[in-house]
Amino acid sequence: MKIGVLALQGDYQKHLEMLKSLGADAVLVRTADEVRELDGLIIPGGESTTIGKLMRRFGIDEAIIEKVGQGMAVYGTCAGMILMAKDIEDSDQHRLGLLDITIRRNAFGRQIDSFETDIQVDELGPDPIRAVFIRAPFITEVRNGVRSLASIDGRAILIQRGKLLASAFHPELTDDTRLHKYFLDIVKS
Ligand code: GLN
């Protein structure tokens, strides 16, 4: 079971370290061929417009879409979640369109660039998880079998559809590995 972390831009290193701490066979990926070797892929936070452009330039977008069709699991955090969305409000930026959701970028307001809060995720057990938000998007609409696993003020911030998982926050910046473990279980399933 090989897990890749897309390393074009953003905070990929922390994801790699977390996956390795869980004993996963994890590597950084930067080419379409490397993506084609994977069973699971994490798309990290960063700047979604930049990551989107680089993906397209290297044909990585097509490789991801092709592999998802063959059962590859994908977990996107923050910018990664934006890139997985079908609809992004007021933006024509490049995207994968894997999840039938509408996203609003930088949605928590410019004054509060980042914040942390505890959220409840039933799938991860009774203890809350610490969620770190950095210029985070939120989801304004969820359609077609996409399930919300956690929300803030009625806005979904953690969603899943089959082998696709996405969060508006950054679990890799805490030392709680449960969400990465949950993703590895999805990859295995
Ligand atoms: N604001 C960034 C974007 O829109 C996402 C921020 C993040 O990934 N932490 O791409």
Side-chain angles (χ1 to χ4, degrees), residues 137-153:
F138 64 54
I139 299 165
T140 55
E141 212 184 299
V142 173
R143 297 175 295 268
N144 264 336
V146 178
R147 206 156 54 93
S148 168
L149 307 187
S151 53
I152 290 184
D153 299 335

Side-chain angles (χ1 to χ4, degrees), residues 9-11 44-51 77-83 88 93 103-107 110 113 132-137 167-170 172-173:
Q9 191 264 340
D11 81 326
E47 187 52 46
S48 58
T49 47
T50 306
I51 300 175
T77 54
C78 204
M81 176 171 92
I82 297 170
L83 287 158
I88 306 168
Q93 70 189 85
I103 289 273
R104 183 177 304 165
R105 289 178 65 195
N106 304 319
R110 306 208 178 261
D113 259 6
V132 180
F133 294 84
I134 303 168
R135 299 186 61 228
S167 66
F169 55 91
H170 292 266
E172 77 284 4
L173 299 180

Side-chain angles (χ1 to χ4, degrees), residues 24 34 58 70 103 135 145 176:
E34 286 167 343
F58 303 127
Q70 297 164 5
I103 289 273
R135 299 186 61 228
D176 189 336

Side-chain angles (χ1 to χ4, degrees), residues 9-50:
Q9 191 264 340
D11 81 326
Y12 46 83
Q13 198 62 41
K14 293 275 183 207
H15 281 291
L16 184 75
E17 285 162 20
M18 196 161 258
L19 290 169
K20 287 200 161 158
S21 80
L22 289 167
D25 176 10
V27 290
L28 297 179
V29 293
R30 295 193 172 87
T31 68
D33 283 344
E34 286 167 343
V35 168
R36 291 197 181 92
E37 304 282 297
L38 302 175
D39 302 297
L41 172 72
I42 290 184
I43 306 176
E47 187 52 46
S48 58
T49 47
T50 306

Side-chain angles (χ1 to χ4, degrees), residues 3 15 28-29 34 44 46 48 56 61-62 69 74 79 89 114 119 122 126 146 165 169 171 174 177 182:
I3 316 293
H15 281 291
L28 297 179
V29 293
E34 286 167 343
S48 58
R56 175 148 66 175
D61 50 353
E62 282 169 13
V74 181
E89 289 184 4
S114 53
I119 57 167
D122 291 345
V146 178
L165 182 70
F169 55 91
T174 69
T177 57
Y182 183 73

